[in-house]
Amino acid sequence: MNEIFETIKKVALEIDEAIKTEDLGYSDSANSSGEDQLKLDVQSDIIIEEAFASVEIVKDLVSEEKEGVLSLHKDGKYTICYDPLDGSSLVDVNLSVGSIFGIYEGELQASNLVASAYVVYGPRIELVIATKESKPKHYRVSKGIFVQVGEIAIDKKGKLNASGGTQQNWSKTHKTFIDSLFAEGYRLRYSGGMVPDLHQILLKGGGLFSYPATTDKPNGKLRQLFEVIPFAFVYEMAGGEAIDDKGNRLMQLIPSHPHDTSPCFFGSLYEITKLKEAYGV
Ligand code: AHM
Ligand code: MG
């Protein structure tokens, strides 16, 4: 598995370089969710694919930017499901973006996730790696090398509140709940990039990130294999919780298609308990 983490470190530096130097325009194609692909999305995808092509323990790759499964090594053990450049449309306003990796062994379902990792490209490059052995490990690039700066543990109750989607399309239940957190003193923090938004909540002591079911996206927006499950694992390993709008753990999800989405909520114990009460689940 270490070879996979070392490859993630290598691609992170290359993607960061591409973000800083490349053309930001649109490519001529759309991804599997029908969204126009930015050249940077495509390029980040290629960087990752080329790097893992020589890592023999990787059987398959599943990318947010590709329709199907890409087979790499038939005797490989792991499938890596990844979002090469999440939040890429934020690059042209110079906000932070990220890459997300879920490492699965066997069928592509949450219970088979063995590790996950994400990279934040911001003023600094940071990496978080979660395995079953310890609290998630937090790294930062210093002089071109990833140096561990600590382990991540989320508090039982936080202060931040970040909810995605258009408010007009939220359910009454969700609107009332989000308002109730603000009435308790929670502060709004939402950039529109799930990687920096979830990273901020983890590092600033906790809170809640929601991407609910909305009238325009009844199954939410965020993809289970590349986005939801990898972060659910990080949050649980950090001592937090991650559930859907029925109160089920996201770590129980079984996608029926690689690009399936799910409503999702990540947070500290207190906020998730409040959410369950508000949603009646
Ligand atoms: P992307 O994978 O196309 O970049 O979209 C995912 C992003 C997440 O980073 C973020 O949480 C969400 O879309 C924001 O969506 P919204 O603007 O609807 O709140
Ligand atoms: Mg994404």
Side-chain angles (χ1 to χ4, degrees):
M1 190 99 74
N2 211 37
E3 211 185 335
I4 294 177
F5 299 142
E6 289 308 310
T7 307
I8 290 174
K9 291 177 186 172
K10 185 169 93 93
V11 300
L13 296 177
E14 286 180 41
I15 292 173
D16 185 70
E17 184 63 22
I19 292 169
K20 293 193 164 65
T21 54
E22 298 292 325
D23 179 0
L24 304 179
Y26 283 93
S27 69
D28 296 329
S29 49
N31 68 12
S32 300
S33 305
E35 297 155 346
D36 288 336
Q37 285 175 305
L38 286 164
K39 287 181 188 165
L40 266 180
D41 289 316
V42 177
Q43 198 179 343
S44 304
D45 192 27
I46 293 169
I47 289 171
I48 293 170
E49 184 185 321
E50 287 181 353
F52 281 111
S54 57
V55 180
E56 287 179 11
I57 49 169
V58 177
K59 187 168 188 286
D60 298 319
L61 292 180
V62 183
S63 166
E64 187 187 293
E65 301 300 334
K66 287 192 187 65
E67 179 56 45
V69 174
L70 178 76
S71 296
L72 285 185
H73 307 102
K74 70 173 174 16
D75 297 325
K77 191 170 169 191
Y78 302 109
T79 299
I80 303 182
C81 298
Y82 63 97
D83 183 350
L85 197 60
D86 183 74
S88 52
S89 63
L90 299 173
V91 172
D92 59 8
V93 290
N94 209 14
L95 286 177
S96 297
V97 291
S99 301
I100 313 166
F101 302 86
I103 301 156
Y104 298 80
E105 188 177 342
E107 296 295 308
L108 296 180
Q109 57 189 55
S111 59
N112 287 337
L113 184 107
V114 291
S116 65
Y118 66 85
V119 183
V120 192
Y121 309 100
R124 302 193 276 217
I125 311 173
E126 302 210 344
L127 166 70
V128 172
I129 294 178
T131 62
K132 291 180 179 164
E133 280 76 52
S134 65
K135 293 261 179 256
K137 294 192 160 73
H138 181 198
Y139 302 82
R140 184 175 294 151
V141 172
S142 172
K143 301 192 177 93
I145 293 168
F146 281 91
V147 179
Q148 191 179 338
V149 289
E151 287 189 342
I152 296 184
I154 194 168
D155 293 347
K156 297 222 166 347
K157 181 179 187 306
K159 299 188 184 76
L160 306 183
N161 191 10
S163 181
T166 309
Q167 290 203 27
Q168 206 179 25
N169 300 330
W170 289 355
S171 66
K172 197 162 180 300
T173 304
H174 189 67
K175 170 84 176 133
T176 306
F177 170 59
I178 293 297
D179 286 348
S180 76
L181 289 181
F182 286 132
E184 264 189 60
Y186 280 76
R187 309 178 75 186
L188 173 65
R189 288 289 181 271
Y190 191 76
S191 74
M194 76 178 297
V195 178
D197 287 338
L198 283 162
H199 189 58
Q200 175 167 223
I201 290 171
L202 285 169
L203 295 189
K204 297 261 188 199
L208 183 74
F209 177 96
S210 315
Y211 206 107
T214 55
T215 49
D216 58 334
K217 295 188 173 77
N219 290 321
K221 173 180 183 187
L222 301 177
R223 293 88 170 170
Q224 298 181 23
L225 286 176
F226 329 104
E227 299 176 324
V228 173
I229 297 169
F231 266 110
F233 185 67
V234 173
Y235 265 67
E236 287 197 355
M237 292 310 299
E241 298 200 0
I243 61 168
D244 67 11
D245 54 356
K246 311 276 181 307
N248 298 316
R249 285 173 64 228
L250 296 169
M251 288 308 295
Q252 291 171 336
L253 282 171
I254 305 178
S256 44
H257 182 276
H259 292 269
D260 278 355
T261 60
S262 171
C264 53
F265 304 88
F266 307 85
S268 315
L269 195 65
Y270 175 82
E271 294 82 16
I272 295 286
T273 305
K274 286 290 232 187
L275 172 89
K276 286 181 181 166
E277 283 168 21
Y279 270 70
V281 293

